[in-house]
Amino acid sequence: MLEIKNIDVFYGNIQALHGVSLRVNQGEIITLIGANGAGKSTTLMAISGIVPPRSGSILFEGRDISAMAADEIFKLGLCQVPEGRHIFPELTVTENLDMGAFLRRDSKGIAQDLEYIYQLFPILAKRRHQPGGNLSGGEQQMLAISRALMSRPRLLLLDEPSMGLAPLITKQIFDIIRTINQEQHTTIFLVEQNANLALQTAHRGYVLENGRVVMQDQAAELLSNTAIQKAYLGI
């Protein structure tokens, strides 16, 4: 579904990604792990068209999207849940979800998806009339994911969904990520600081160090890898 081929990404004169290559197959959960500053978020922003690569290519279902604008990439079915959530704090929960479906015109489908969201996250149903800014951090993360789902993404990009959340809420969020993948057949590209949880959730994983992919394997193999355990799992 997605193939990144040898991309270099810069912020001004500072190179953030060096020849990064990876692929995401339809129906998979892929995770990209690495230390802070390794280039994980930059990789997602390159896919989304926010920070276009200076060289290399990004293919979505065989189509080169490397030079496409972010809004055009979104229209193809790639939707990113950004680090830090970035919901609309003054809009209600329902209004935030409506924004996720902004480009859709199928009112019946939108209503069905909204009902599914409220079943997936019952707390959002209870708070549907409250401003997003009044929600807790965990509830805002649920709202950010739900807003993305309202666009019916074909590829969902998740950037640090556990950031700042309590362990119990984090577990709930990752249970939902698995549910979305299994029930909605949504392909997911997960960037996550919690390497242990990410590898337990994903099918395959990539390890990024200083802007370079240094390892890739099945997630279970990475979990049992001694070097990964020592560097990222605290073992």
Side-chain angles (χ1 to χ4, degrees):
M1 176 174 273
L2 180 77
E3 188 173 11
I4 298 177
K5 295 183 177 181
N6 201 36
I7 63 169
D8 295 327
V9 175
F10 289 76
Y11 293 103
N13 294 323
I14 300 174
Q15 188 167 1
L17 297 181
H18 303 260
V20 167
S21 297
L22 55 83
R23 62 181 172 82
V24 182
N25 298 319
Q26 188 169 358
E28 285 187 311
I29 301 177
I30 296 299
T31 189
L32 182 63
I33 64 172
N36 283 332
K40 303 187 301 297
S41 293
T42 298
T43 303
L44 290 191
M45 288 192 290
I47 297 168
S48 297
I50 300 169
V51 186
R54 189 171 296 182
S55 61
S57 60
I58 301 174
L59 305 178
F60 181 64
E61 296 186 325
R63 180 176 181 177
D64 194 336
I65 62 172
S66 309
M68 290 180 64
D71 60 317
E72 294 299 324
I73 292 173
F74 172 76
K75 291 175 183 177
L76 295 178
L78 288 83
C79 187
Q80 180 171 342
V81 179
E83 180 183 344
R85 300 178 279 276
H86 296 287
I87 57 143
F88 300 104
E90 296 184 0
L91 299 185
T92 66
V93 166
T94 300
E95 289 168 340
N96 268 275
L97 295 174
D98 286 342
M99 289 300 292
F102 182 75
L103 294 180
R104 294 175 58 182
R105 297 294 179 265
D106 56 324
S107 56
K108 183 177 180 180
I110 291 172
Q112 291 174 343
D113 288 350
L114 190 61
E115 185 59 33
Y116 176 76
I117 292 297
Y118 286 147
Q119 291 176 7
L120 204 59
F121 296 106
I123 191 63
L124 296 184
K126 292 181 180 179
R127 307 211 190 287
R128 67 180 73 189
H129 301 302
Q130 295 185 19
N134 290 356
L135 305 183
S136 69
E139 291 164 354
Q140 289 187 15
Q141 185 64 68
M142 295 174 191
L143 180 56
I145 293 173
S146 299
R147 181 182 60 187
L149 290 178
M150 287 299 295
S151 72
R152 285 196 176 175
R154 303 182 56 226
L155 176 58
L156 181 62
L157 310 176
L158 297 174
D159 195 355
E160 303 284 5
S162 76
M163 178 174 286
L165 303 184
L168 188 61
I169 299 299
T170 296
K171 182 182 182 302
Q172 184 179 356
I173 292 291
F174 273 77
D175 286 343
I176 292 297
I177 290 171
R178 296 186 190 95
T179 299
I180 293 167
N181 174 250
Q182 293 167 6
E183 291 186 357
Q184 299 294 304
H185 309 293
T186 303
T187 307
I188 296 174
F189 190 158
L190 169 66
V191 161
E192 177 55 50
Q193 184 71 21
N194 187 331
N196 188 39
L197 189 54
L199 291 172
Q200 289 179 26
T201 303
H203 299 105
R204 293 189 300 111
Y206 293 81
V207 181
L208 198 64
E209 290 183 3
N210 298 317
R212 293 178 170 86
V213 173
V214 296
M215 191 178 301
Q216 59 175 297
D217 209 331
Q218 298 296 313
E221 294 298 321
L222 291 174
L223 266 175
S224 63
N225 184 287
T226 304
I228 297 299
Q229 291 177 347
K230 183 177 180 181
Y232 301 105
L233 306 183
I235 300 175

